[in-house]
Amino acid sequence: MNKIFTLVVIAAVFVCSGFKINDDKKPNVTNLHLTWQVMDNNYQNKNQALTALVIANKSHEVLPAGGWKIYFNSGRGFTKAAVSNNALIEQVNGDLYSITPTSGFKDLKPGETSRIEFVCDDPVVNITDAPEGPYLVWDNAPEKGYSFGSYDITPYKPTYQGLITPEIVYDRNKTVTDIPADQLVKVFPTPVSYSPGSGSFSFAAGVQVSSADARFSKEAAVLRNYIGGIFGKKETVKPGKVISFEYKAGLGNEAYELSVKPTTVVIRASANTGIYYGIQSFKSLIPASALAKTPSSVQIPCVEVTDAPRFAYRAVMLDVARNFQSKQQVLKLLEAMSLYKLNVLHLHLTDDEGWRIEIPALPELTAVGSKRGHTLDSKRHLPPSHGSGPEVNNPFGTGYYTKADYIEILKYANDRHITVVPEIETPGHARGAIKAMNARYDRLMAEGKKAEAEKYLLYDPYDKSEYRSVQYWNDNVIDVSLPSTYNFVETVVNDLISTYKDAEAPLPTIHFGGDEVPANVWEKSPAYAALKSTHPEIQSTNDLWYYFYGRINEILKAKGIRLSGWEEMALRKTTLDGQPAYVPNPDFTKEHLQVDVWNNVLGGGQEDLAYRLANGGYKVVLTCVTNLYFDMANYKSFDEPGYYWGAFLGIDKFFSFIPYDYFKNADVDKQGNPINRNIFIGKQRLTDYGKSNIVGLQGALWAETVKGPERMDYMIFPRLLGLAERAWAQDPAWATEKDPVKSKEAYQAAWSNFLNVLGKRELPRLSYYNGGYDYRVSKPGISLQDGKYFSNVEFPGLTIRYTTNGKDPDAGSKVYTGPVNYNGGVIKFRAFDPKGRGGNVAEGGSNNLNP
């Protein structure tokens, strides 16, 4: 999953607030402004950073020297005492910290600034390392938090190893061949067989869409609606131009044939899904220009396509628990997934920081667990996380899908041949559920209903176990020894089944999490002691793992549902040479459980975990952090957002992933340094039997850093297209070529083709398709040569613009068409999509290049 916090970075600190405290008047904190700065990224010649929070008092009142705290979120660790000797920083729980002024902090008068300087355990790498969501709480009103007037992050120019500069980007982009658009394959993802014909099909409003087989009538309606959307009007059917659907026996469920001739288009398949994918391929033949404005007609090139997917399971995992995304944004993602033939949406609906789906039988799950705001007891809602701030009505920390919302999502997905897999995180990552059931317990106990209050309790109130999860929570693990835990699970499962039934949507599996349960949990639980006394097979808390998932599996099996989870669900704890170790659990292999395997961090020792589980008999979905995590930063640069604890993942990592031998193309470690291939010595390779257990690929967007739909689009697109290509297209020649020189040459040719397809066809399409997607527009590469600046971009076809006046380029700036004479000062380059939306700026001048 996402191990946020082996991580690195920053720290900083907050302080401030506004005004003198009066009993009859609350101060206006909005007149206090914060700025975070990096001061020294190698403080005291150690792997740590000195950072500062600067407080500016723009009010007319004094900020007192005490009587307040600043709270903020961070995934980093800090020294407790400020270097500036004026504050203490302390962890509250999880990623929530507090700053308390000490005697060294003096009254801050109007117009003055004050600095609080702290040491962070790790150096700063990118903008994501900054503290998030600072707010102030007055000591005499501890129930209320106040946001500051502003919080700014000072741009930083790091010099760390592995930094990707515009010069490096330029050199990388130089290897990409510019391929004329008419030479590109016009169906994406790459089909099994593609043969261009001669001539074109004139596509216009009124073209006849017919189905010789009534079973395909729904798909015919889909295409008619799409045609209406393109041409903006409906006309009488025109004779002579026909798009028809035909049944053809013997094709796979998702296979299809597409034939485009000057007067007819025929899509053949054995199943509705195949017809649907044939329609999607036909849509990919339509140039993006047809979506930008209403055309009178469109010329579709004649082609013959035979196609079927490589993997049956082609998934996107979307975390809506850490930061919420609206129903509309989920629907928008589903539409893009369907365009690129991805067929599973794995919704991570619950976690420590939120419960996002209505369970009618347990209303507290959303009444309490779906809200975040300032609190220190989590009785009415959860505390701020990931910068969600002090207000409960914040748009990303708070939110959930009503049953009606979720049914709409399911129906929308079902219409697009996408299965929605719900994930209910257990037994770790469950603080949202635990606190919600605590609130239920308190309510019913106050009503004198003890038995009912205890029915769904998820923790033993007398448990004195002490632990910290990877994300620093000390109260986020369900007590699996409690009978009430299984009441809870069965009730949630029953409500999910009801919701899916009402939506007439399939529910083949429920994902029950299973990762990152910390050491020392349950050890001092009376419920565990009681269970152990009556179950001789339970010798230690390690055995609770198998007890818990065994019972979950029985609950689901009785309802005809398969259990799936993260990889730890399939592992048995043991020892090797006296050290803790994990091996595939033989007890569960006969149950045909499906596991999503994320952990193949290069150098972490588990590089072969997915292959060991597949070889051991488990059905495995490759969700590898080294290649398939959308939340990882694209590359190592301060202005590139995202985590990087597992890897830096540009779109090349998605495209270059070799599912059956991902060791082969591993070239750099998680810091971007050349890989030491000795780490693969002794690691298991995938057997032929193991290959039969690799059911598919999954790209994962963990949402700690994802606030809002724009950032979600930025992190997912266009990397989703790399995932789609690897999951759908057949094994490429460069992946199986044994000669390393030939393999590299074949890869480079395929890589150039892929980037040209995206830059000249698919990114322009995504600019307009379904209202447009805010995909990441790559920063240009630049290079100063003989007094001239050269520039290029990762995706041929995007427009580069530049300025020489120090201002950032905008959609009206000069278009780069060739080398620009440099006469001193600052010169800036920026790439733009067809709508004029720009990416990050590459800056040259002053004898250096900014990162």
Side-chain angles (χ1 to χ4, degrees):
M1 202 178 190
N2 43 357
K3 292 8 203 145
I4 309 176
F5 308 129
T6 36
L7 226 57
V8 252
V9 186
I10 95 197
V13 190
F14 304 134
V15 94
C16 71
S17 169
F19 307 151
K20 187 178 296 182
I21 304 174
N22 300 316
D23 291 337
D24 60 346
K25 174 186 174 183
K26 289 186 177 181
N28 185 1
V29 179
T30 60
N31 288 321
L32 294 171
H33 298 261
L34 303 184
T35 302
W36 176 75
Q37 301 173 348
V38 181
M39 300 171 62
D40 186 347
N41 218 20
N42 188 34
Y43 184 58
Q44 297 178 334
N45 294 315
K46 297 178 181 178
N47 197 41
Q48 58 186 15
L50 178 63
T51 63
L53 190 77
V54 181
I55 308 159
N57 185 356
K58 299 183 181 181
S59 72
H60 298 293
E61 299 185 51
V62 174
L63 171 66
W68 48 265
K69 288 181 184 288
I70 298 295
Y71 290 89
F72 70 97
N73 297 117
S74 178
R76 317 298 178 261
F78 308 91
T79 55
K80 185 173 183 178
V83 173
S84 48
N85 295 316
N86 58 357
L88 294 176
I89 179 170
E90 297 176 286
Q91 184 180 34
V92 179
N93 201 356
D95 68 338
L96 185 64
Y97 287 83
S98 68
I99 300 291
T100 305
T102 62
S103 59
F105 192 92
K106 306 305 180 184
D107 286 353
L108 187 62
K109 298 177 181 178
E112 292 184 341
T113 61
S114 182
R115 300 174 64 86
I116 299 179
E117 298 177 358
F118 278 90
V119 175
C120 174
D121 291 348
D122 297 288
V124 172
V125 171
N126 66 20
I127 194 170
T128 298
D129 294 333
E132 296 185 288
Y135 64 92
L136 181 141
V137 175
W138 298 101
D139 290 354
N140 68 345
E143 74 288 346
K144 175 69 175 175
Y146 297 88
S147 296
F148 293 102
S150 66
Y151 170 53
D152 298 313
I153 298 170
T154 302
Y156 177 61
K157 300 178 182 179
T159 57
Y160 42 64
Q161 185 179 11
L163 173 67
I164 302 300
T165 67
E167 282 188 322
I168 292 173
V169 173
Y170 181 83
D171 288 338
R172 289 180 175 179
N173 292 344
K174 280 196 309 183
T175 66
V176 178
T177 303
D178 193 313
I179 302 172
D182 60 2
Q183 296 179 20
L184 299 170
V185 172
K186 295 174 178 59
V187 171
F188 185 86
T190 304
V192 173
S193 173
Y194 176 93
S195 301
S198 59
S200 61
F201 176 85
S202 185
F203 181 45
V207 66
Q208 183 179 353
V209 179
S210 67
S211 176
D213 195 312
R215 77 187 80 187
F216 301 140
S217 59
K218 185 175 182 179
E219 283 68 33
V222 168
L223 184 54
R224 289 191 195 101
N225 289 336
Y226 188 71
I227 292 171
I230 289 178
F231 296 106
K233 56 184 178 179
K234 295 183 178 180
E235 297 181 1
T236 304
V237 173
K238 295 181 178 179
K241 297 289 185 179
V242 180
I243 302 174
S244 63
F245 303 143
E246 297 179 1
Y247 174 79
K248 182 175 180 178
L251 298 181
N253 183 62
E254 297 182 301
Y256 68 92
E257 295 175 354
L258 169 64
S259 175
V260 180
K261 291 182 166 42
T263 58
T264 61
V265 174
V266 181
I267 300 173
R268 303 180 185 89
S270 298
N272 295 77
T273 305
I275 290 289
Y276 184 81
Y277 287 148
I279 292 173
Q280 300 305 80
S281 290
F282 176 75
K283 286 162 61 175
S284 75
L285 292 170
I286 301 171
S289 58
L291 307 180
K293 58 182 179 180
T294 303
S296 58
S297 64
V298 178
Q299 299 305 306
I300 304 296
C302 291
V303 295
E304 298 293 327
V305 176
T306 301
D307 204 6
R310 181 183 184 190
F311 290 106
Y313 195 97
R314 306 177 302 279
V316 172
M317 193 289 303
L318 176 64
D319 170 13
V320 294
R322 269 60 176 273
N323 278 305
F324 186 65
Q325 294 289 342
S326 69
K327 175 188 68 178
Q328 290 73 20
Q329 184 67 4
V330 174
L331 299 182
K332 191 175 179 183
L333 173 61
L334 285 165
E335 180 60 36
M337 288 174 61
S338 73
L339 179 64
Y340 297 117
K341 307 182 180 79
L342 296 163
N343 65 352
V344 177
L345 177 62
H346 169 176
L347 277 179
H348 184 81
L349 292 164
T350 74
D351 213 295
D352 299 321
E353 302 93 334
W355 183 284
R356 306 303 188 183
I357 183 170
E358 180 182 16
I359 301 296
L362 300 171
E364 286 84 1
L365 286 171
T366 47
V368 175
S370 74
K371 300 174 184 177
R372 293 209 299 258
H374 175 65
T375 177
L376 297 178
D377 61 19
S378 298
K379 289 188 175 182
R380 291 179 297 172
H381 51 76
L382 304 177
S385 283
H386 313 301
S388 57
E391 301 298 331
V392 173
N393 62 353
N394 67 85
F396 310 119
T398 291
Y400 71 94
Y401 306 117
T402 65
K403 182 171 181 175
D405 289 337
Y406 200 73
I407 287 173
E408 185 177 344
I409 289 170
L410 293 176
K411 288 183 174 181
Y412 192 91
N414 208 33
D415 286 345
R416 287 153 181 78
H417 301 271
I418 295 172
T419 299
V420 179
V421 174
E423 180 180 353
I424 307 298
E425 263 282 16
T426 59
H429 285 281
R431 191 175 190 273
I434 291 169
K435 296 304 177 183
M437 292 301 94
N438 285 359
R440 179 185 183 278
Y441 173 84
D442 291 343
R443 174 178 64 82
L444 292 170
M445 287 295 287
E447 296 173 7
K449 301 175 181 178
K450 185 174 185 294
E452 190 176 346
E454 294 176 343
K455 186 175 181 180
Y456 299 111
L457 205 58
L458 298 177
Y459 88 114
D460 186 330
Y462 301 103
D463 185 359
K464 304 301 180 183
S465 304
E466 296 182 4
Y467 61 87
R468 283 280 183 183
S469 73
V470 177
Q471 286 83 18
Y472 305 153
W473 297 101
N474 61 12
D475 55 356
N476 75 331
V477 182
I478 291 171
D479 193 330
V480 300
S481 302
L482 291 169
S484 52
T485 289
Y486 304 95
N487 296 335
F488 174 84
V489 169
E490 185 136 25
T491 298
V492 169
V493 167
N494 286 339
D495 271 20
L496 286 173
I497 291 172
S498 172
T499 299
Y500 275 74
K501 182 178 180 180
D502 290 348
E504 298 181 328
L507 182 59
T509 184
I510 299 177
H511 196 291
F512 269 92
D515 70 321
E516 298 184 330
V517 174
N520 308 122
V521 71
W522 307 315
E523 290 180 347
K524 298 179 182 179
S525 164
Y528 161 61
L531 183 69
K532 184 179 178 181
S533 68
T534 58
H535 288 70
E537 74 278 12
I538 298 177
Q539 297 295 310
S540 71
T541 54
N542 287 343
D543 296 324
L544 288 177
W545 196 251
Y546 325 119
Y547 172 79
F548 174 68
Y549 276 109
R551 289 197 62 176
I552 297 296
N553 189 42
E554 291 304 315
I555 290 172
L556 293 183
K557 281 173 61 178
K559 302 174 189 299
I561 298 172
R562 185 179 70 252
L563 171 62
S564 59
W566 296 105
E567 61 231 37
E568 289 94 325
M569 185 184 72
L571 296 173
R572 176 173 285 279
K573 296 180 180 181
T574 183
T575 58
L576 177 64
D577 297 329
Q579 298 298 316
Y582 295 88
V583 297
N585 182 5
D587 295 347
F588 286 163
T589 54
K590 64 181 181 297
E591 299 295 333
H592 306 294
L593 306 187
Q594 182 169 298
V595 290
D596 301 338
V597 183
W598 67 265
N599 189 2
N600 70 327
V601 177
L602 298 178
Q606 300 296 325
E607 294 86 355
D608 62 345
L609 180 56
Y611 293 165
R612 285 191 282 126
L613 286 169
N615 291 342
Y618 282 93
K619 299 300 180 184
V620 169
V621 177
L622 296 174
T623 316
C624 301
V625 66
T626 56
N627 292 80
L628 301 175
Y629 263 36
F630 294 119
D631 57 301
M632 295 290 112
N634 274 265
Y635 57 63
K636 201 171 187 178
S637 176
F638 184 75
D639 62 359
E640 198 58 63
Y643 285 137
Y644 50 86
W645 56 265
F648 288 95
L649 266 62
I651 193 171
D652 60 308
K653 294 300 180 189
F654 288 77
F655 179 80
S656 67
F657 185 60
I658 304 176
Y660 291 160
D661 188 9
Y662 55 67
F663 301 163
K664 181 177 180 179
N665 267 25
D667 55 354
V668 294
D669 64 16
K670 65 181 182 180
Q671 295 301 326
N673 301 317
I675 195 74
N676 179 353
R677 300 202 66 81
N678 289 340
I679 64 174
F680 300 122
I681 295 175
K683 301 300 182 184
Q684 277 193 31
R685 307 298 293 273
L686 193 62
T687 64
D688 286 345
Y689 169 70
K691 289 179 182 179
S692 70
N693 287 321
I694 302 295
V695 299
L697 309 185
Q698 177 173 245
L701 181 67
W702 298 104
E704 291 90 344
T705 69
V706 182
K707 300 172 185 66
E710 295 83 5
R711 177 54 59 84
M712 175 177 155
D713 280 2
Y714 182 98
M715 301 306 286
I716 290 180
F717 299 99
R719 291 187 287 190
L720 178 135
L721 280 72
L723 168 70
E725 177 73 1
R726 286 286 73 81
W728 180 276
Q730 300 303 299
D731 205 5
W734 50 262
T736 55
E737 173 60 58
K738 298 188 182 301
D739 184 321
V741 175
K742 292 180 179 179
S743 177
K744 185 175 181 179
E745 291 174 350
Y747 173 79
Q748 189 58 45
W751 173 236
S752 291
N753 185 79
F754 175 72
L755 294 180
N756 276 269
V757 167
L758 266 60
K760 296 175 181 178
R761 295 190 59 82
E762 297 312 314
L763 294 187
R765 189 186 316 281
L766 284 174
S767 291
Y768 298 101
Y769 187 80
N770 194 31
Y773 292 79
D774 293 323
Y775 57 84
R776 175 180 177 267
V777 178
S778 303
K779 181 193 294 186
I782 60 176
S783 177
L784 180 60
Q785 303 174 30
D786 300 325
K788 296 181 179 181
Y789 266 105
F790 292 72
S791 184
N792 57 21
V793 69
E794 184 175 30
F795 299 102
L798 296 186
T799 301
I800 302 173
R801 298 179 182 271
Y802 70 96
T803 59
T804 57
N805 60 3
K807 295 182 179 180
D808 288 349
D810 59 27
S813 300
K814 291 181 180 179
V815 175
Y816 173 83
T817 58
V820 179
N821 290 326
Y822 177 61
N823 300 311
V826 176
I827 184 168
K828 295 183 177 182
F829 296 81
R830 192 179 186 189
F832 291 82
D833 76 354
K835 281 186 173 179
R837 191 174 53 87
N840 286 342
V841 174
E843 180 178 316
S846 303
N847 299 318
N848 65 71
L849 295 177
N850 293 333

